């Protein structure tokens, strides 16, 4: 109806103007796209044939730059660079962080290689499309003031700072083999402990993260296995476990609870025995949301405080299930069997009927108010 009120000449003039304007902006868009493509090609060729080859020739300068950036002396035996597809590659042999207080390096890696991500040029921080290293030894320490440092680099003590974890889960693929982590707790005056990482793999997408860890510790007789498969919620941080939605599975053999109680501060007066466990747990924003687990303990002794009697069992076996029931966290015992501490190892286990325990997650003050 309104179109009938507009004179025909005026409509034809507007049509010609918009038609000409469309062609004009179309040409501008093509020119802009061509300029962006040309800049990308020129930048790519410049990095590939001019800048990146100079890296291999500037090993001493890179060592000084890394030393100033990290705050510890960095050295490397050799540095090689190459190119695969659209990404720069590198290979470093004999990488060392030389701490001032130690005769041995606080970090040394036999070989490290990978492909840089183009995000490195945007963030001006190393980001990797692929990263592999093996044959590493890392020295971690907590000094008498409680400051923790890894490879001579102090770790931020703010519990709400997930910058390192966010960076770790922003790398595409990480593969680590044969790593030895040495822990020196000077605050609690503990002897040196060594943790061996046999295999660690991490694959990250935009929101999805899959990780596998196989490690040996002073507290287990066999390798400990851990797997995670999760996404972080929209608007959340990938490094904050409270934003995770997915599954965690584990396999633990012969965990020495007696040694654990000596090495770590636990809210128990006494803990002794050995533990085996295998299971899978679903999590939703860091909270348990269903799963199953098997627990078996030998020569188990638990005492909450000196004024209470200790629980002592020669053998304990139980299959647990976890669920969420009306906002309450529920744990049920499908099976629960035990043997007294003084009973022979060949005596049969006693069985208890299935039980379910429910409690509401603790509030901000950490207190459980409904059980």
């Amino acid at each position: 109806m309104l179109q009938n009120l507009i004179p025909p000449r005026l409509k034809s003039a507007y049509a010609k103007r918009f038609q000409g304007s469309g062609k004009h902006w179309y040409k501008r868009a093509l020119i802009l796209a061509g300029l962006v493509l040309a800049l990308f090609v020129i930048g790519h060729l410049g990095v590939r044939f001019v800048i990146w080859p100079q890296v291999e020739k500037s090993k001493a300068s890179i060592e000084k730059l890394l030393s100033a950036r990290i705050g510890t002396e960095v050295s490397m035996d050799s540095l090689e660079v190459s190119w695969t597809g659209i990404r720069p590659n590198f290979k470093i042999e004999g990488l060392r962080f030389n701490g001032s207080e130690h005769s041995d390096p606080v970090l040394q890696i036999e070989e490290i290689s990978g492909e840089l991500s183009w995000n490195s040029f945007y963030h001006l921080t190393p980001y990797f499309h692929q990263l592999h290293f093996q044959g590493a030894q890392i020295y971690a320490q907590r000094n008498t003031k409680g400051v923790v440092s890894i490879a001579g680099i102090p770790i931020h003590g703010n519990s709400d700072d997930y910058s390192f974890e966010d960076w770790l889960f922003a790398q595409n693929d990480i593969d680590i083999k044969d790593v030895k982590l040495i822990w020196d707790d000077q605050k609690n005056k503990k002897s040196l402990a060594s943790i061996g990482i046999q295999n660690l793999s991490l694959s990250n997408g935009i929101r999805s993260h899959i990780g596998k860890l196989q490690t040996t510790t002073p507290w287990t007789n066999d390798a400990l296995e851990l797997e995670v498969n999760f996404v972080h919620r929209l608007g959340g941080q990938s490094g904050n476990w409270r934003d995770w939605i997915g599954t965690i599975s584990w396999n633990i053999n012969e965990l020495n609870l007696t040694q654990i109680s000596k090495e770590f501060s636990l809210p128990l007066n006494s803990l002794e025995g050995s533990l085996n466990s295998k299971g899978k747990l679903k999590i939703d924003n860091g909270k348990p949301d269903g799963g199953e687990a098997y627990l078996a303990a030998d020569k188990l002794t638990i005492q909450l405080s000196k004024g209470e009697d200790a629980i002592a069992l020669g053998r304990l076996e139980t299959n647990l299930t976890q669920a969420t029931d009306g906002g309450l966290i529920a744990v049920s015992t499908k099976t629960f069997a035990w043997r007294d501490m003084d009973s022979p190892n060949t005596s049969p286990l006693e069985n208890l009927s299935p039980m379910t325990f429910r409690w509401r997650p603790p509030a901000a003050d950490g207190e459980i108010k409904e059980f």
Side-chain angles (χ1 to χ4, degrees):
M1 189 69 181
L2 293 175
Q3 292 182 358
N4 297 332
L5 301 177
I6 302 176
R9 292 183 179 180
L10 186 59
K11 287 199 297 183
S12 62
Y14 272 111
K16 291 180 180 179
R17 182 175 181 181
F18 284 125
Q19 185 177 5
S21 176
K23 292 181 178 179
H24 183 67
W25 283 108
Y26 180 72
K27 290 180 180 179
R28 287 187 176 182
L30 286 178
I31 293 173
L32 180 61
L35 288 175
V36 171
L37 179 61
L39 289 175
F40 175 79
V41 172
I42 292 173
H44 177 84
L45 295 176
V47 171
R48 177 170 183 175
F49 295 106
V50 179
I51 299 176
W52 193 241
Q54 298 299 319
V55 172
E56 188 170 322
K57 303 176 183 179
S58 307
K59 184 171 76 72
S61 299
I62 293 176
E63 290 174 342
K64 292 180 180 179
L65 180 63
L66 290 175
S67 299
R69 182 70 179 271
I70 296 175
T72 186
E73 182 186 350
V74 178
S75 63
M76 57 187 77
D77 293 338
S78 66
L79 171 62
E80 301 177 5
V81 298
S82 58
W83 203 276
T84 300
I86 63 171
R87 296 185 182 89
N89 288 8
F90 68 93
K91 180 180 178 181
I92 300 174
E93 293 183 352
L95 176 65
R96 292 180 297 275
F97 289 5
N98 303 302
S100 57
E101 300 180 358
H102 303 275
S103 56
D104 297 329
V106 292
L107 178 145
Q108 53 183 350
I109 303 176
E110 293 179 3
E111 181 179 309
I112 178 170
S113 61
E115 295 181 10
L116 279 179
S117 169
W118 285 96
N119 288 333
S120 303
F121 299 96
Y122 175 78
H123 295 281
L124 297 180
T125 301
Y127 278 77
F128 302 97
H129 182 71
Q130 290 183 355
L131 180 64
H132 312 275
F133 68 82
Q134 62 181 10
Q137 181 170 296
I138 305 173
Y139 185 88
Q141 181 192 74
R142 179 166 62 175
N143 63 19
T144 55
K145 297 180 180 179
V147 178
V148 177
S149 61
I150 299 178
I153 304 172
I155 302 301
H156 201 287
N158 187 356
S159 60
D160 295 328
D161 183 9
Y162 301 101
S163 56
F164 172 77
E165 292 84 353
D166 290 340
W167 174 88
L168 181 65
F169 287 112
Q171 316 307 308
N172 286 65
D173 289 293
I174 297 178
D175 182 41
I176 299 173
K177 294 180 180 179
D178 190 21
V179 174
K180 184 178 181 181
L181 178 64
I182 299 174
W183 172 247
D184 181 15
D185 191 350
Q186 296 183 355
K187 182 178 180 180
N188 294 330
K189 298 181 180 180
K190 301 289 186 180
S191 59
L192 293 178
S194 176
I195 299 174
I197 299 176
Q198 298 177 345
N199 211 334
L200 171 63
S201 63
L202 185 61
S203 179
N204 300 301
I206 297 176
R207 289 181 57 221
S208 62
H209 312 277
I210 300 174
K212 296 181 180 181
L213 171 65
Q214 188 176 20
T215 179
T216 58
T217 74
W219 317 291
T220 53
N221 293 336
D222 202 354
L224 183 152
E225 297 178 358
L226 179 68
E227 295 186 16
V228 294
N229 188 344
F230 68 94
V231 298
H232 63 272
R233 65 179 177 84
L234 290 173
Q237 293 180 270
S238 59
N240 186 354
W241 61 271
R242 296 179 182 86
D243 295 333
W244 291 4
I245 304 171
T247 60
I248 300 176
S249 58
W250 66 90
N251 186 8
I252 303 173
N253 293 316
E254 298 296 328
L255 178 64
N256 192 327
L257 300 177
T258 305
Q259 194 169 357
I260 288 286
S261 64
K262 293 179 180 179
E263 297 288 344
F264 301 96
S265 298
L266 301 177
L268 299 172
N269 181 60
S270 177
L271 179 64
E272 299 177 0
S274 63
L275 176 71
N276 295 276
S277 179
K278 184 176 182 179
K280 178 181 288 187
L281 180 67
K282 297 179 182 179
I283 54 174
D284 186 357
N285 287 325
K287 298 178 180 179
D289 192 34
E292 295 185 350
Y294 168 76
L295 297 175
D298 290 301
K299 304 298 181 182
L300 178 64
T301 301
I302 301 176
Q303 186 181 32
L304 298 179
S305 62
K306 291 183 178 181
E308 297 183 8
D309 294 333
I311 299 174
L313 299 173
R315 174 71 176 179
L316 171 66
E317 294 182 9
T318 179
N319 286 279
L320 305 175
T321 61
Q322 191 279 322
T324 302
D325 184 7
L328 301 178
I329 297 175
V331 174
S332 300
T333 62
K334 295 173 62 177
T335 62
F336 191 93
W338 79 96
R339 181 190 301 122
D340 291 335
M341 184 70 77
D342 299 330
S343 299
N345 294 337
T346 57
S347 61
L349 301 177
E350 299 185 50
N351 290 276
L352 196 65
S353 299
M355 300 176 291
T356 298
F357 303 90
R358 298 182 181 88
W359 67 92
R360 193 167 299 280
D365 56 5
E367 181 181 354
I368 296 178
K369 300 180 179 179
E370 184 177 355
F371 183 87

